Amino acid sequence: MENRDLGIRTTGDGSITCYSDRFKQHYHSVHGARTESEKVYLDLGYALAAERFARIELLEVGFGTGLNAYLTALASEKVPTFYTGLEAFPIEEEEWRQFPEYLRVLHGLSWEEEHTIHPLFNVIKLRTKLEDFLPDKRFHLVYYDAFSPEAQPELWTSERFAQVYGWMEAGGILCTYCSKVLVQKNLKSAGFEVEKHPGPPHKREVIRAIKK
């Protein structure tokens, strides 16, 4: 089983995360998983996309625990949102069955098929690596939530960001928790305009990048 190494823990704001022995990292901030997701992806990403676009095609790099998908479903009250989540190493059922019910619902959805969660939110989960993904649409918003450059260096290169840039609409938004200088440099090299924003507790800065 790919992910028997996951350990579930409660974070500082009461929401849960997991630890992956494969990548030697938690999926979210231990100081507050939900707080981090709301700040990085909802406040900086989804809210702006909802102002700019009449519909949102959203790509998440790293479906993970499903927390970002869940929070986006809650936020999609006015703008039709079509969520595509990529996950190369899905969490095993014996693990996600221990999650809160609101996350278990998303994990229980079949892979490679589109599902309607509510009239303004559709989701499809794809079991694939980013480098193998061949989209048939362009995206208005990208949640770049891979494990860190130390754990997955191949996902933080200028070449990989250029690939994602090519999949996005003009004015599209990419958000990530990682603000390392190398990541900023590689985003700029790929063509993005990079903005630094204050992060959630215990995180000085996070990144919002815009396709020119």
Side-chain angles (χ1 to χ4, degrees):
M1 303 281 280
E2 287 285 345
N3 285 315
R4 286 185 179 275
D5 53 357
L6 288 169
I8 299 170
R9 66 173 288 177
T10 301
T11 67
D13 63 5
S15 57
I16 64 101
T17 191
C18 296
Y19 180 82
S20 174
D21 195 48
R22 172 193 293 276
F23 294 110
K24 309 300 182 185
Q25 292 181 351
H26 287 93
Y27 279 69
H28 313 91
S29 169
V30 297
H31 302 292
R34 181 167 183 155
T35 300
E36 177 188 49
S37 290
E38 289 177 337
K39 175 64 175 179
V40 179
Y41 302 108
L42 278 297
D43 294 350
L44 292 178
Y46 189 81
L48 181 58
E51 292 176 3
R52 288 188 172 184
F53 304 108
R55 60 178 272 149
I56 299 172
E57 291 286 355
L58 192 167
L59 174 68
E60 178 162 27
V61 180
F63 175 76
T65 67
L67 179 60
N68 292 338
Y70 167 73
L71 294 175
T72 304
L74 293 183
S76 58
E77 299 177 341
K78 297 180 180 180
V79 182
T81 302
F82 301 85
Y83 169 96
T84 300
L86 308 185
E87 183 55 66
F89 306 103
I91 294 173
E92 296 290 345
E93 183 171 354
E94 65 186 85
E95 298 287 345
W96 62 252
R97 284 293 180 191
Q98 303 174 55
F99 288 178
E101 182 179 1
Y102 61 87
L103 295 179
R104 294 200 304 269
V105 169
L106 290 168
H107 281 274
L109 299 176
S110 57
W111 290 84
E112 325 299 331
E113 294 181 327
E114 187 170 295
H115 302 270
T116 299
I117 305 302
H118 63 69
L120 292 178
F121 189 77
N122 283 33
V123 58
I124 184 169
K125 305 182 300 179
L126 302 177
R127 198 181 312 221
T128 184
K129 294 182 179 180
L130 176 62
E131 51 266 41
D132 296 330
F133 179 49
L134 297 173
D136 58 1
K137 62 180 74 176
R138 288 187 175 272
F139 298 98
H140 305 93
L141 177 61
V142 176
Y143 294 166
Y144 211 87
D145 201 18
F147 286 106
S148 76
E150 291 79 14
Q152 292 186 296
E154 71 279 6
L155 296 184
W156 300 90
T157 64
S158 58
E159 292 79 11
R160 195 61 61 217
F161 285 135
Q163 181 183 35
V164 174
Y165 185 94
W167 297 339
M168 295 173 66
E169 296 281 5
I173 303 149
L174 180 150
C175 292
T176 183
Y177 67 90
C178 185
S179 61
K180 291 182 179 295
V181 172
L182 177 63
V183 170
Q184 296 181 45
K185 177 182 176 183
N186 289 344
L187 283 165
K188 291 176 181 177
S189 176
F192 287 99
E193 293 180 349
V194 174
E195 305 170 358
K196 293 185 286 185
H197 292 267
H202 301 274
K203 179 71 176 172
R204 187 167 63 90
E205 293 178 338
V206 295
I207 294 297
R208 181 168 68 191
I210 309 295
K211 178 171 181 176
K212 300 175 183 178

